[in-house]
Amino acid sequence: MADNGAPQVEEDPAAAFLAQQESEIAVIENDNDGFGTLEEADAPEPATNYDPFGEEPAALNGDMYQETNGPTDSYAAIAQVDHQRQEPESLRKWREEQKARLEALDSASKAAEEEWRAKAKKELDDWHVHQSEQMEKNKANNRASEEAFLAETDGDSPGTEWEKVARLCDFNPKTNKQAKDVSRMRSVLISLKQTPLVR
């Protein structure tokens, strides 16, 4: 669109931005009082020829520069600052003592754990031996009492039924104080023993 008849040329926003940035950088370099010359001296020179291996140099900001993989001066400065900021000798010594102390505690705890495991295994084996012995004793006692019970029940002589019942029942009232009250049942059995039923 033209106001006076001539076509208006549109201004490129990217070109305007780059021009503004270059002017600001020039102002900053002038304010550094000589620091800009140091940076310019350390800047890599543009490549004039190609790499003999056939690789083309990289283009950076429109200029041709060769790529370098080594550390630049800024990395060396950072490494130097890190070297200066190393921990003091006392902290390093404390850290080493702490590490040695923790290793000693770890080894002591592992030894104690092994000792406890051995003790627990021995106690468990003793318990299994005791349990097997107790089971064998119980089996022998149960067999003996079963044989005695069967020997008593095999004798079928008439008139001895109440003696068998009396052997199975406990007529002493003092022995079972915490049991249920069976005094009525006891009295019924005693009365039946004294005066049996007539058939």
Side-chain angles (χ1 to χ4, degrees), residues 6 24 28 30 34 41 49-50 53 58 60 62 66 72 91 112 117 180:
E24 288 178 4
I28 291 173
N30 290 337
N49 55 4
Y50 289 103
F53 296 108
L60 183 64
Q66 290 183 348
T72 61
L91 277 179
R117 284 181 190 270
K180 291 182 179 179

Side-chain angles (χ1 to χ4, degrees), residues 52-99:
F53 296 108
E55 296 180 3
E56 295 182 3
L60 183 64
N61 291 336
D63 296 328
M64 301 296 281
Y65 289 98
Q66 290 183 348
E67 294 181 3
T68 58
N69 291 332
T72 61
D73 288 342
S74 59
Y75 289 124
I78 291 173
Q80 185 179 6
V81 169
D82 287 344
H83 185 67
Q84 290 172 353
R85 288 186 182 175
Q86 284 183 347
E87 61 186 2
E89 181 69 22
S90 59
L91 277 179
R92 187 186 58 77
K93 195 175 202 181
W94 175 83
R95 195 176 307 275
E96 290 174 359
E97 290 174 0
Q98 187 75 2
K99 185 178 179 183

